[in-house]
Amino acid sequence: METNRYSGHLRKMATEHTCQGDSHNVQYQLVLDEQLIGLNQYIGSQLSIHYDNLIHCIHCGRKSNKSFSQGYCYPCFKKLAQCDSCIMSPEKCHYDAGTCREPEWADEFCMTDHIVYLANSSGIKVGITRLNQVPTRWMDQGAKQALPIFRVATRQLSGFVEDAFREYVGDRTNWRALLKGDADDVDLAALRDELFEKTRSAISSLQSEHGVQAIQPITDGEVYEFSYPVATYPDKIKSHNLDKTPQVSGLLQGIKGQYLILDTGVINLRKFTGYQVDIAITP
């Protein structure tokens, strides 16, 4: 068999949600700089990744000895709004205080409609995402099911709503459990209604403060379902790390979230965004 070889800087894998009848398949493309390589076709193939000991910032292109916040050099990490702590904790947004690192960037990415959702990946979690990231966000997390439950006017408000729900449901994905198999199906609509009752007072208070139109419940949202290209789930989870072992090889047994599942271990490609690599795939 001829070996296919590719080189470039790793990026987050691109995803597409395709629905045919009862099938809700996730299609993956490996992204190396401007190259897009379909990966689903290579399930069952031998795959190797060689890290060339080079990292370049995905924003400015500067050579960096370390990747910060999944792909940035340290100067960009310190100055870009997309690397600020409020991105991970949106309730800490300081845009209104006039101290945002990049107000124009925030106008486009933070001061815009967001979705608060329930997802079933390694279990039930609450989360937030920009409206235009539906359903990409859920595929990146490896969710089996997802349901939008609020549409809110800004990222900060989505964080406030998420906080109200975190008292009753978690906001984290257990990546080890995620890669050991599919979660059991859950009636997300019934759970949404139950959580609406439990958070009614907190949400009413937020609407009184920020306006009813700014925080809109979604009572008839569609439940999204996802099926990932996984032939075999591992019994035990071993994680590959290119910083420690620059050569990773194995039989590609599946793809879920941003993880490649090899028979030698799993690797989170998003963690190594900006890394220069050589990839060989033998069908």
Side-chain angles (χ1 to χ4, degrees):
M1 286 288 184
E2 181 180 353
T3 297
N4 299 306
R5 302 183 184 278
Y6 310 96
S7 297
H9 294 86
L10 282 172
R11 297 290 190 271
K12 179 175 76 73
M13 285 186 287
T15 56
E16 182 182 1
H17 186 215
T18 61
C19 299
Q20 294 181 341
D22 293 332
S23 298
H24 304 271
N25 299 317
V26 178
Q27 302 292 325
Y28 281 94
Q29 288 181 309
L30 179 67
V31 182
L32 293 173
D33 293 324
E34 303 302 319
Q35 299 178 82
L36 297 174
I37 301 106
L39 281 182
N40 291 50
Q41 63 183 320
Y42 290 125
I43 301 297
S45 300
Q46 191 70 23
L47 182 147
S48 68
I49 304 172
H50 177 75
Y51 167 42
D52 297 329
N53 199 33
L54 285 171
I55 304 172
H56 289 94
C57 177
I58 60 173
H59 181 76
C60 72
R62 179 189 286 110
K63 183 180 177 181
S64 179
N65 292 325
K66 183 179 179 181
S67 173
F68 296 86
S69 192
Q70 297 179 336
Y72 299 91
C73 64
Y74 188 70
C76 285
F77 170 69
K78 294 297 290 183
K79 75 178 183 181
L80 295 178
Q82 58 201 287
C83 297
D84 204 347
S85 60
C86 51
I87 295 301
M88 295 301 295
S89 302
E91 67 277 6
K92 298 178 181 178
C93 172
H94 46 99
Y95 179 94
D96 289 341
T99 55
C100 180
R101 293 177 177 182
E102 298 176 280
E104 291 183 358
W105 184 90
D107 286 338
E108 181 178 357
F109 292 95
C110 299
M111 312 306 289
T112 186
D113 283 3
H114 278 62
I115 293 293
V116 182
Y117 62 84
L118 296 174
N120 180 19
S121 48
S122 59
I124 301 300
K125 62 159 287 184
V126 62
I128 66 172
T129 190
R130 292 195 309 274
L131 179 62
N132 63 7
Q133 287 299 296
V134 172
T136 301
R137 175 63 171 165
W138 303 322
M139 292 184 283
D140 287 346
Q141 293 179 339
K144 185 181 182 183
Q145 300 169 284
L147 176 66
I149 59 173
F150 278 92
R151 181 169 176 166
V152 298
T154 68
R155 185 173 182 84
Q156 184 184 46
L157 288 181
S158 70
F160 291 155
V161 174
E162 184 185 35
D163 275 349
F165 279 76
R166 273 200 289 243
E167 184 177 347
Y168 306 101
V169 63
D171 64 344
R172 304 283 181 178
T173 297
N174 182 330
W175 67 273
R176 292 182 179 275
L178 176 76
L179 297 176
K180 282 190 173 183
D182 282 332
D184 294 333
D185 284 338
V186 173
D187 187 340
L188 291 181
L191 179 60
R192 172 202 61 203
D193 294 343
E194 177 185 333
L195 291 170
F196 275 179
E197 286 300 317
K198 290 180 177 179
T199 59
R200 183 180 300 277
S201 177
I203 298 301
S204 293
S205 295
L206 287 172
Q207 289 175 324
S208 295
E209 182 178 356
H210 301 281
V212 172
Q213 294 302 316
I215 303 173
Q216 286 289 306
I218 302 173
T219 59
D220 58 353
E222 171 191 1
V223 175
Y224 289 74
E225 298 180 353
F226 306 94
S227 178
Y228 296 90
V230 179
T232 305
Y233 283 105
D235 293 326
K236 295 183 179 180
I237 302 297
K238 174 188 174 183
S239 181
H240 289 298
N241 186 335
L242 293 178
D243 292 318
K244 297 179 179 179
T245 308
Q247 181 72 34
V248 171
S249 299
L251 193 70
L252 180 61
Q253 296 182 320
I255 315 168
K256 192 174 187 182
Q258 285 292 315
Y259 287 88
L260 299 184
I261 302 172
L262 307 175
D263 62 348
T264 57
V266 303
I267 181 167
N268 180 357
L269 291 190
R270 190 170 192 174
K271 178 180 178 180
F272 302 105
T273 300
Y275 283 51
Q276 170 73 36
V277 297
D278 302 308
I279 293 180
I281 307 176
T282 305

